[in-house]
Amino acid sequence: HETPLGVSVRTADFWLLWAALFVMWGTGAVISANSAQVYRAANGGAFDSQTNAVYVAVGGLGSAAGRIVAGLLERFCPGRSVTLFLPLPCLIAALALACFVVLPAGAIAVGFFLQPMAYGMSWAFAILSMRMMYRVDLGMHYGALFTSGMLAIVGFNRVLFGPWYDRQAREQGTFPDCSGAVCYRVPFLALIAL
């Protein structure tokens, strides 16, 4: 589009991209902001700071891998619009969330790698897509679309994940800690549905 931001915000393309980024960036932020809680819950309430640090490092590797994969897809798939790849991080994120819900504690490293991979990939594809879609006021478009991530972080943590986790912890009588996949199953299934 060769339109300024004021015109773009009145198009379906802008709001569809905004909604996709809301879900992708919000989902990634839920995992990164709550990785210690997810690890503790998946591990039956037990917590080891060294294991948690490994999961954080695995997440960093996943994020980097996602950004590299996005760059490689753009480079080696010439003639294809990078926007065609936007669903890929959504699918990977859904798979990662499913891993947290169904895999035993010893295998959640898969989720801790795949979710940040999807998160990193979504950031890379978003920037590449914006560059392709908006040739005028690119920085303004980026700033406006970035609001999706800010609102999603607050919304998904304050409305979806946090209240559910706290409620389960109170029901278990272990607040502020929670034990078992029940602590995050419903929020993660809701994110998969989105």
Side-chain angles (χ1 to χ4, degrees), residues 20-90:
L21 297 176
F22 180 86
V23 173
M24 289 188 292
W25 291 348
T27 300
V30 164
I31 298 298
S32 64
N34 300 293
S35 62
Q37 291 87 343
V38 172
Y39 156 59
R40 181 187 304 266
N43 201 35
F47 184 83
D48 176 63
S49 61
Q50 290 179 332
T51 302
N52 187 57
V54 168
Y55 287 145
V56 170
V58 165
L61 291 173
S63 180
R67 292 165 199 262
I68 291 169
V69 167
L72 290 172
L73 285 171
E74 184 205 24
R75 173 76 172 100
F76 293 109
C77 295
R80 299 215 190 275
S81 170
V82 72
T83 58
L84 293 174
F85 298 119
L86 277 174
L88 185 58
C90 293

Side-chain angles (χ1 to χ4, degrees), residues 24-193:
M24 289 188 292
W25 291 348
T27 300
V30 164
I31 298 298
S32 64
N34 300 293
S35 62
Q37 291 87 343
V38 172
Y39 156 59
R40 181 187 304 266
N43 201 35
F47 184 83
D48 176 63
S49 61
Q50 290 179 332
T51 302
N52 187 57
V54 168
Y55 287 145
V56 170
V58 165
L61 291 173
S63 180
R67 292 165 199 262
I68 291 169
V69 167
L72 290 172
L73 285 171
E74 184 205 24
R75 173 76 172 100
F76 293 109
C77 295
R80 299 215 190 275
S81 170
V82 72
T83 58
L84 293 174
F85 298 119
L86 277 174
L88 185 58
C90 293
L91 297 172
I92 294 171
L95 177 63
L97 292 170
C99 287
F100 285 114
V101 171
V102 301
L103 292 179
I108 63 168
V110 174
F112 277 120
F113 178 81
L114 289 176
Q115 177 55 50
M117 180 181 183
Y119 189 55
M121 193 180 292
S122 70
W123 275 96
F125 282 142
I127 291 167
L128 294 170
S129 295
M130 285 181 229
R131 188 184 70 198
M132 185 203 74
M133 292 172 66
Y134 303 111
R135 298 185 192 280
V136 175
D137 292 341
L138 179 59
M140 299 281 288
H141 284 86
Y142 177 79
L145 289 164
F146 185 75
T147 62
S148 65
M150 292 185 298
L151 293 174
I153 290 166
V154 173
F156 288 170
N157 275 309
R158 292 288 300 153
V159 176
L160 187 60
F161 183 85
W164 181 266
Y165 185 92
D166 290 349
R167 185 170 127 206
Q168 297 306 310
R170 283 189 176 90
E171 287 178 7
Q172 293 176 5
T174 58
F175 182 81
D177 299 327
C178 194
S179 178
V182 67
C183 303
Y184 53 78
R185 181 180 295 124
V186 169
F188 285 10
L189 291 174
L191 291 171
I192 289 170

